[in-house]
Amino acid sequence: MRKVLSVICQVIAGFFFYMVSMLAFMSGFPAMGKAAMLAGFSVPAFIALAIALALTGLRNWKKDTGVMLLSMSAFNGFVILTMACMLASEEFRKLVPADSFAMFGAYFVGALVLAAFAALGWILFKSGGGMAEQGPAGA
């Protein structure tokens, strides 16, 4: 039951980190306002992650956190690629108003945040060790 709750908390943390990386692409906000918004979504992400890691007794915390960050980064990249492909379609552009995606213009900051999450996830995953840390029979 603890593992199930841990996975649920990991998913919640991944969602909030996903929101942080998506909000990083938003433009038109003052720098302090954007930083406060990103920090506001980071707090519940870290709380959910801390609960998830505490439920597993901090075993394999690097690997678990790395997998969550890599999964979130891959999903975010998939969403961005999907939206780019949809915007390339003439039919889709006719269906949505011209300025629908105007607020997502901070490509450099968004790409930087997404790359940082992916790099941190990769580093944590690679330094997390193998299956030997789990003990006998994956206990």
Side-chain angles (χ1 to χ4, degrees):
M1 184 64 171
R2 285 171 37 145
K3 276 193 169 191
V4 172
L5 290 175
S6 175
V7 169
I8 290 170
C9 287
Q10 288 269 356
V11 169
I12 292 169
F15 169 76
F16 280 107
F17 281 125
Y18 164 78
M19 289 303 298
V20 168
S21 63
M22 284 303 283
L23 291 173
F25 281 96
M26 292 182 75
S27 60
F29 293 102
M32 290 304 294
K34 188 172 184 176
M37 188 170 51
L38 295 178
F41 275 92
S42 296
V43 169
F46 284 116
I47 290 171
L49 180 61
I51 292 170
L53 296 176
L55 286 170
T56 60
L58 295 175
R59 285 186 308 274
N60 296 326
W61 72 270
K62 288 181 181 180
K63 194 170 193 175
D64 291 345
T65 305
V67 166
M68 185 266 305
L69 288 174
L70 283 172
S71 300
M72 177 275 309
S73 298
F75 180 73
N76 197 340
F78 174 74
V79 168
I80 291 168
L81 179 65
T82 301
M83 291 308 297
C85 290
M86 287 173 53
L87 286 173
S89 167
E90 184 67 33
E91 294 84 23
F92 181 75
R93 285 186 297 206
K94 287 179 185 176
L95 292 174
V96 296
D99 60 344
S100 293
F101 299 101
M103 66 184 341
F104 293 101
Y107 302 121
F108 179 74
V109 174
L112 188 67
V113 169
L114 186 58
F117 277 142
L120 180 61
W122 180 255
I123 290 167
L124 287 172
F125 179 74
K126 291 309 269 184
S127 68
M131 297 298 287
E133 293 181 21
Q134 290 184 353

